[in-house]
PDB file of all heavy atoms in Angstrom:
ATOM      1  N   LEU A1530     104.872 112.892  83.082  1.00  0.00           N
ATOM      2  CA  LEU A1530     103.853 112.522  84.059  1.00  0.00           C
ATOM      3  C   LEU A1530     103.227 113.691  84.800  1.00  0.00           C
ATOM      4  O   LEU A1530     102.307 113.497  85.606  1.00  0.00           O
ATOM      5  CB  LEU A1530     104.426 111.511  85.055  1.00  0.00           C
ATOM      6  CG  LEU A1530     104.653 110.108  84.463  1.00  0.00           C
ATOM      7  CD1 LEU A1530     105.364 109.210  85.474  1.00  0.00           C
ATOM      8  CD2 LEU A1530     103.337 109.475  84.033  1.00  0.00           C
ATOM      9  N   LYS A1536      99.504 110.456  82.980  1.00  0.00           N
ATOM     10  CA  LYS A1536      99.199 109.666  84.176  1.00  0.00           C
ATOM     11  C   LYS A1536      98.186 108.570  83.850  1.00  0.00           C
ATOM     12  O   LYS A1536      98.346 107.411  84.250  1.00  0.00           O
ATOM     13  CB  LYS A1536      98.645 110.561  85.285  1.00  0.00           C
ATOM     14  CG  LYS A1536      99.633 111.526  85.922  1.00  0.00           C
ATOM     15  CD  LYS A1536      98.975 112.222  87.107  1.00  0.00           C
ATOM     16  CE  LYS A1536      99.873 113.264  87.752  1.00  0.00           C
ATOM     17  NZ  LYS A1536      99.874 114.541  87.005  1.00  0.00           N
ATOM     18  N   GLU A1567      94.594 110.059  88.352  1.00  0.00           N
ATOM     19  CA  GLU A1567      94.973 111.303  89.020  1.00  0.00           C
ATOM     20  C   GLU A1567      94.969 111.122  90.533  1.00  0.00           C
ATOM     21  O   GLU A1567      95.871 111.604  91.239  1.00  0.00           O
ATOM     22  CB  GLU A1567      94.021 112.424  88.612  1.00  0.00           C
ATOM     23  CG  GLU A1567      94.529 113.828  88.889  1.00  0.00           C
ATOM     24  CD  GLU A1567      95.681 114.247  87.987  1.00  0.00           C
ATOM     25  OE1 GLU A1567      95.583 114.072  86.759  1.00  0.00           O
ATOM     26  OE2 GLU A1567      96.680 114.748  88.535  1.00  0.00           O
ATOM     27  N   THR A1568      93.960 110.414  91.038  1.00  0.00           N
ATOM     28  CA  THR A1568      93.880 110.175  92.481  1.00  0.00           C
ATOM     29  C   THR A1568      95.009 109.270  92.946  1.00  0.00           C
ATOM     30  O   THR A1568      95.606 109.497  94.008  1.00  0.00           O
ATOM     31  CB  THR A1568      92.517 109.552  92.844  1.00  0.00           C
ATOM     32  OG1 THR A1568      91.475 110.451  92.453  1.00  0.00           O
ATOM     33  CG2 THR A1568      92.420 109.286  94.342  1.00  0.00           C
ATOM     34  N   LEU A1569      95.333 108.238  92.175  1.00  0.00           N
ATOM     35  CA  LEU A1569      96.439 107.358  92.542  1.00  0.00           C
ATOM     36  C   LEU A1569      97.737 108.155  92.676  1.00  0.00           C
ATOM     37  O   LEU A1569      98.489 107.983  93.638  1.00  0.00           O
ATOM     38  CB  LEU A1569      96.616 106.249  91.504  1.00  0.00           C
ATOM     39  CG  LEU A1569      95.675 105.049  91.575  1.00  0.00           C
ATOM     40  CD1 LEU A1569      95.969 104.081  90.437  1.00  0.00           C
ATOM     41  CD2 LEU A1569      95.805 104.330  92.908  1.00  0.00           C
ATOM     42  N   PHE A1570      98.008 109.009  91.706  1.00  0.00           N
ATOM     43  CA  PHE A1570      99.228 109.802  91.762  1.00  0.00           C
ATOM     44  C   PHE A1570      99.204 110.769  92.942  1.00  0.00           C
ATOM     45  O   PHE A1570     100.205 110.945  93.637  1.00  0.00           O
ATOM     46  CB  PHE A1570      99.441 110.558  90.451  1.00  0.00           C
ATOM     47  CG  PHE A1570     100.264 109.795  89.446  1.00  0.00           C
ATOM     48  CD1 PHE A1570      99.665 108.888  88.588  1.00  0.00           C
ATOM     49  CD2 PHE A1570     101.633 109.976  89.381  1.00  0.00           C
ATOM     50  CE1 PHE A1570     100.423 108.171  87.665  1.00  0.00           C
ATOM     51  CE2 PHE A1570     102.400 109.271  88.465  1.00  0.00           C
ATOM     52  CZ  PHE A1570     101.795 108.368  87.606  1.00  0.00           C
ATOM     53  N   GLN A1571      98.065 111.368  93.180  1.00  0.00           N
ATOM     54  CA  GLN A1571      97.962 112.288  94.315  1.00  0.00           C
ATOM     55  C   GLN A1571      98.206 111.549  95.628  1.00  0.00           C
ATOM     56  O   GLN A1571      98.917 112.049  96.518  1.00  0.00           O
ATOM     57  CB  GLN A1571      96.591 112.953  94.320  1.00  0.00           C
ATOM     58  CG  GLN A1571      96.424 113.982  95.430  1.00  0.00           C
ATOM     59  CD  GLN A1571      95.070 114.676  95.353  1.00  0.00           C
ATOM     60  OE1 GLN A1571      94.280 114.446  94.420  1.00  0.00           O
ATOM     61  NE2 GLN A1571      94.782 115.516  96.326  1.00  0.00           N
ATOM     62  N   ASN A1572      97.611 110.368  95.757  1.00  0.00           N
ATOM     63  CA  ASN A1572      97.787 109.587  96.981  1.00  0.00           C
ATOM     64  C   ASN A1572      99.240 109.194  97.215  1.00  0.00           C
ATOM     65  O   ASN A1572      99.698 109.130  98.361  1.00  0.00           O
ATOM     66  CB  ASN A1572      96.934 108.314  96.929  1.00  0.00           C
ATOM     67  CG  ASN A1572      95.454 108.579  97.056  1.00  0.00           C
ATOM     68  OD1 ASN A1572      95.037 109.679  97.405  1.00  0.00           O
ATOM     69  ND2 ASN A1572      94.652 107.571  96.761  1.00  0.00           N
ATOM     70  N   ALA A1573      99.956 108.915  96.131  1.00  0.00           N
ATOM     71  CA  ALA A1573     101.293 108.331  96.238  1.00  0.00           C
ATOM     72  C   ALA A1573     102.415 109.358  96.256  1.00  0.00           C
ATOM     73  O   ALA A1573     103.583 108.977  96.341  1.00  0.00           O
ATOM     74  CB  ALA A1573     101.510 107.354  95.083  1.00  0.00           C
ATOM     75  N   GLN A1574     102.103 110.655  96.204  1.00  0.00           N
ATOM     76  CA  GLN A1574     103.159 111.658  96.081  1.00  0.00           C
ATOM     77  C   GLN A1574     103.904 111.946  97.378  1.00  0.00           C
ATOM     78  O   GLN A1574     105.085 112.277  97.357  1.00  0.00           O
ATOM     79  CB  GLN A1574     102.572 112.973  95.544  1.00  0.00           C
ATOM     80  CG  GLN A1574     102.246 112.932  94.078  1.00  0.00           C
ATOM     81  CD  GLN A1574     101.915 114.311  93.537  1.00  0.00           C
ATOM     82  OE1 GLN A1574     102.721 114.947  92.891  1.00  0.00           O
ATOM     83  NE2 GLN A1574     100.701 114.765  93.821  1.00  0.00           N
ATOM     84  N   ALA A1575     103.228 111.835  98.504  1.00  0.00           N
ATOM     85  CA  ALA A1575     103.847 112.245  99.770  1.00  0.00           C
ATOM     86  C   ALA A1575     104.835 111.198 100.270  1.00  0.00           C
ATOM     87  O   ALA A1575     104.753 110.019  99.909  1.00  0.00           O
ATOM     88  CB  ALA A1575     102.761 112.480 100.810  1.00  0.00           C
ATOM     89  N   PRO A1576     105.810 111.595 101.106  1.00  0.00           N
ATOM     90  CA  PRO A1576     106.770 110.637 101.659  1.00  0.00           C
ATOM     91  C   PRO A1576     106.091 109.516 102.435  1.00  0.00           C
ATOM     92  O   PRO A1576     104.985 109.677 102.962  1.00  0.00           O
ATOM     93  CB  PRO A1576     107.632 111.501 102.591  1.00  0.00           C
ATOM     94  CG  PRO A1576     107.513 112.878 102.041  1.00  0.00           C
ATOM     95  CD  PRO A1576     106.110 112.984 101.522  1.00  0.00           C
ATOM     96  N   VAL A1577     106.773 108.374 102.494  1.00  0.00           N
ATOM     97  CA  VAL A1577     106.293 107.215 103.243  1.00  0.00           C
ATOM     98  C   VAL A1577     107.279 106.953 104.364  1.00  0.00           C
ATOM     99  O   VAL A1577     108.481 106.835 104.130  1.00  0.00           O
ATOM    100  CB  VAL A1577     106.195 105.969 102.347  1.00  0.00           C
ATOM    101  CG1 VAL A1577     105.816 104.741 103.172  1.00  0.00           C
ATOM    102  CG2 VAL A1577     105.188 106.177 101.231  1.00  0.00           C
ATOM    103  N   ASP A1603     110.990 106.555 103.148  1.00  0.00           N
ATOM    104  CA  ASP A1603     111.106 106.946 101.740  1.00  0.00           C
ATOM    105  C   ASP A1603     110.628 108.391 101.706  1.00  0.00           C
ATOM    106  O   ASP A1603     109.440 108.674 101.644  1.00  0.00           O
ATOM    107  CB  ASP A1603     110.228 106.029 100.886  1.00  0.00           C
ATOM    108  CG  ASP A1603     110.073 106.519  99.458  1.00  0.00           C
ATOM    109  OD1 ASP A1603     110.749 107.504  99.089  1.00  0.00           O
ATOM    110  OD2 ASP A1603     109.277 105.927  98.715  1.00  0.00           O
ATOM    111  N   LEU A1604     111.586 109.320 101.811  1.00  0.00           N
ATOM    112  CA  LEU A1604     111.244 110.711 102.090  1.00  0.00           C
ATOM    113  C   LEU A1604     111.093 111.566 100.841  1.00  0.00           C
ATOM    114  O   LEU A1604     110.814 112.758 100.952  1.00  0.00           O
ATOM    115  CB  LEU A1604     112.317 111.325 103.003  1.00  0.00           C
ATOM    116  CG  LEU A1604     112.570 110.564 104.313  1.00  0.00           C
ATOM    117  CD1 LEU A1604     113.611 111.305 105.147  1.00  0.00           C
ATOM    118  CD2 LEU A1604     111.297 110.378 105.098  1.00  0.00           C
ATOM    119  N   LEU A1605     111.295 110.982  99.672  1.00  0.00           N
ATOM    120  CA  LEU A1605     111.173 111.763  98.449  1.00  0.00           C
ATOM    121  C   LEU A1605     109.704 111.981  98.107  1.00  0.00           C
ATOM    122  O   LEU A1605     108.836 111.188  98.466  1.00  0.00           O
ATOM    123  CB  LEU A1605     111.904 111.068  97.303  1.00  0.00           C
ATOM    124  CG  LEU A1605     113.385 110.778  97.562  1.00  0.00           C
ATOM    125  CD1 LEU A1605     114.016 110.106  96.344  1.00  0.00           C
ATOM    126  CD2 LEU A1605     114.151 112.035  97.933  1.00  0.00           C
ATOM    127  N   SER A1606     109.426 113.077  97.403  1.00  0.00           N
ATOM    128  CA  SER A1606     108.045 113.414  97.087  1.00  0.00           C
ATOM    129  C   SER A1606     107.947 113.890  95.647  1.00  0.00           C
ATOM    130  O   SER A1606     108.954 114.077  94.965  1.00  0.00           O
ATOM    131  CB  SER A1606     107.528 114.499  98.046  1.00  0.00           C
ATOM    132  OG  SER A1606     108.315 115.672  97.926  1.00  0.00           O
ATOM    133  N   GLY A1607     106.708 114.069  95.178  1.00  0.00           N
ATOM    134  CA  GLY A1607     106.486 114.566  93.833  1.00  0.00           C
ATOM    135  C   GLY A1607     105.983 113.488  92.885  1.00  0.00           C
ATOM    136  O   GLY A1607     105.824 112.324  93.257  1.00  0.00           O
ATOM    137  N   VAL A1608     105.759 113.883  91.636  1.00  0.00           N
ATOM    138  CA  VAL A1608     105.114 112.993  90.683  1.00  0.00           C
ATOM    139  C   VAL A1608     105.993 111.801  90.323  1.00  0.00           C
ATOM    140  O   VAL A1608     105.506 110.679  90.128  1.00  0.00           O
ATOM    141  CB  VAL A1608     104.688 113.783  89.418  1.00  0.00           C
ATOM    142  CG1 VAL A1608     105.900 114.248  88.615  1.00  0.00           C
ATOM    143  CG2 VAL A1608     103.753 112.950  88.553  1.00  0.00           C
ATOM    144  N   GLN A1609     107.326 112.015  90.238  1.00  0.00           N
ATOM    145  CA  GLN A1609     108.211 110.894  89.919  1.00  0.00           C
ATOM    146  C   GLN A1609     108.288 109.912  91.086  1.00  0.00           C
ATOM    147  O   GLN A1609     108.340 108.689  90.882  1.00  0.00           O
ATOM    148  CB  GLN A1609     109.608 111.408  89.557  1.00  0.00           C
ATOM    149  CG  GLN A1609     109.659 112.329  88.356  1.00  0.00           C
ATOM    150  CD  GLN A1609     109.445 111.585  87.037  1.00  0.00           C
ATOM    151  OE1 GLN A1609     109.324 110.372  87.011  1.00  0.00           O
ATOM    152  NE2 GLN A1609     109.374 112.332  85.956  1.00  0.00           N
ATOM    153  N   ALA A1610     108.290 110.431  92.306  1.00  0.00           N
ATOM    154  CA  ALA A1610     108.255 109.549  93.475  1.00  0.00           C
ATOM    155  C   ALA A1610     106.957 108.745  93.480  1.00  0.00           C
ATOM    156  O   ALA A1610     106.944 107.554  93.804  1.00  0.00           O
ATOM    157  CB  ALA A1610     108.391 110.358  94.757  1.00  0.00           C
ATOM    158  N   ALA A1611     105.858 109.394  93.116  1.00  0.00           N
ATOM    159  CA  ALA A1611     104.577 108.686  93.031  1.00  0.00           C
ATOM    160  C   ALA A1611     104.637 107.577  91.985  1.00  0.00           C
ATOM    161  O   ALA A1611     104.166 106.463  92.210  1.00  0.00           O
ATOM    162  CB  ALA A1611     103.461 109.671  92.706  1.00  0.00           C
ATOM    163  N   ALA A1612     105.232 107.880  90.826  1.00  0.00           N
ATOM    164  CA  ALA A1612     105.341 106.867  89.764  1.00  0.00           C
ATOM    165  C   ALA A1612     106.161 105.673  90.233  1.00  0.00           C
ATOM    166  O   ALA A1612     105.822 104.517  89.940  1.00  0.00           O
ATOM    167  CB  ALA A1612     105.969 107.494  88.522  1.00  0.00           C
ATOM    168  N   ARG A1613     107.239 105.952  90.958  1.00  0.00           N
ATOM    169  CA  ARG A1613     108.069 104.853  91.473  1.00  0.00           C
ATOM    170  C   ARG A1613     107.280 103.992  92.450  1.00  0.00           C
ATOM    171  O   ARG A1613     107.324 102.754  92.400  1.00  0.00           O
ATOM    172  CB  ARG A1613     109.320 105.416  92.141  1.00  0.00           C
ATOM    173  CG  ARG A1613     110.146 104.375  92.880  1.00  0.00           C
ATOM    174  CD  ARG A1613     111.443 104.931  93.425  1.00  0.00           C
ATOM    175  NE  ARG A1613     111.250 106.152  94.182  1.00  0.00           N
ATOM    176  CZ  ARG A1613     110.810 106.189  95.438  1.00  0.00           C
ATOM    177  NH1 ARG A1613     110.463 105.066  96.051  1.00  0.00           N
ATOM    178  NH2 ARG A1613     110.689 107.331  96.079  1.00  0.00           N
ATOM    179  N   ARG A1614     106.540 104.632  93.358  1.00  0.00           N
ATOM    180  CA  ARG A1614     105.764 103.858  94.333  1.00  0.00           C
ATOM    181  C   ARG A1614     104.679 103.044  93.643  1.00  0.00           C
ATOM    182  O   ARG A1614     104.410 101.897  94.009  1.00  0.00           O
ATOM    183  CB  ARG A1614     105.163 104.801  95.381  1.00  0.00           C
ATOM    184  CG  ARG A1614     106.220 105.457  96.259  1.00  0.00           C
ATOM    185  CD  ARG A1614     105.633 106.337  97.352  1.00  0.00           C
ATOM    186  NE  ARG A1614     106.718 107.032  98.042  1.00  0.00           N
ATOM    187  CZ  ARG A1614     106.915 108.337  98.034  1.00  0.00           C
ATOM    188  NH1 ARG A1614     106.068 109.141  97.375  1.00  0.00           N
ATOM    189  NH2 ARG A1614     107.936 108.867  98.664  1.00  0.00           N
ATOM    190  N   ILE A1615     104.053 103.626  92.649  1.00  0.00           N
ATOM    191  CA  ILE A1615     102.997 102.905  91.928  1.00  0.00           C
ATOM    192  C   ILE A1615     103.589 101.730  91.164  1.00  0.00           C
ATOM    193  O   ILE A1615     103.024 100.620  91.156  1.00  0.00           O
ATOM    194  CB  ILE A1615     102.234 103.871  90.994  1.00  0.00           C
ATOM    195  CG1 ILE A1615     101.413 104.869  91.832  1.00  0.00           C
ATOM    196  CG2 ILE A1615     101.333 103.106  90.042  1.00  0.00           C
ATOM    197  CD1 ILE A1615     100.886 106.041  91.029  1.00  0.00           C
ATOM    198  N   ARG A1738      99.407 104.315 100.856  1.00  0.00           N
ATOM    199  CA  ARG A1738      99.434 105.442  99.925  1.00  0.00           C
ATOM    200  C   ARG A1738      98.430 105.229  98.791  1.00  0.00           C
ATOM    201  O   ARG A1738      97.698 106.150  98.413  1.00  0.00           O
ATOM    202  CB  ARG A1738     100.844 105.604  99.349  1.00  0.00           C
ATOM    203  CG  ARG A1738     101.796 106.290 100.320  1.00  0.00           C
ATOM    204  CD  ARG A1738     101.537 107.780 100.340  1.00  0.00           C
ATOM    205  NE  ARG A1738     102.401 108.446 101.319  1.00  0.00           N
ATOM    206  CZ  ARG A1738     101.981 108.936 102.451  1.00  0.00           C
ATOM    207  NH1 ARG A1738     100.724 108.827 102.805  1.00  0.00           N
ATOM    208  NH2 ARG A1738     102.818 109.551 103.263  1.00  0.00           N
ATOM    209  N   ASN A1743      97.045 108.856 104.216  1.00  0.00           N
ATOM    210  CA  ASN A1743      98.261 109.652 104.136  1.00  0.00           C
ATOM    211  C   ASN A1743      98.715 110.217 105.473  1.00  0.00           C
ATOM    212  O   ASN A1743      99.106 111.363 105.575  1.00  0.00           O
ATOM    213  CB  ASN A1743      98.074 110.786 103.126  1.00  0.00           C
ATOM    214  CG  ASN A1743      97.960 110.257 101.715  1.00  0.00           C
ATOM    215  OD1 ASN A1743      98.514 109.223 101.394  1.00  0.00           O
ATOM    216  ND2 ASN A1743      97.229 110.971 100.878  1.00  0.00           N
TER     217      ASN A1743
END
Side-chain angles (χ1 to χ4, degrees):
L1530 288 174
K1536 290 187 183 80
E1567 198 70 49
T1568 300
L1569 280 178
F1570 269 86
Q1571 183 177 356
N1572 289 348
Q1574 285 191 102
V1577 175
D1603 169 7
L1604 305 182
L1605 304 181
S1606 60
V1608 69
Q1609 299 287 356
R1613 172 175 50 79
R1614 293 183 186 115
I1615 291 167
R1738 282 283 177 252
N1743 292 331

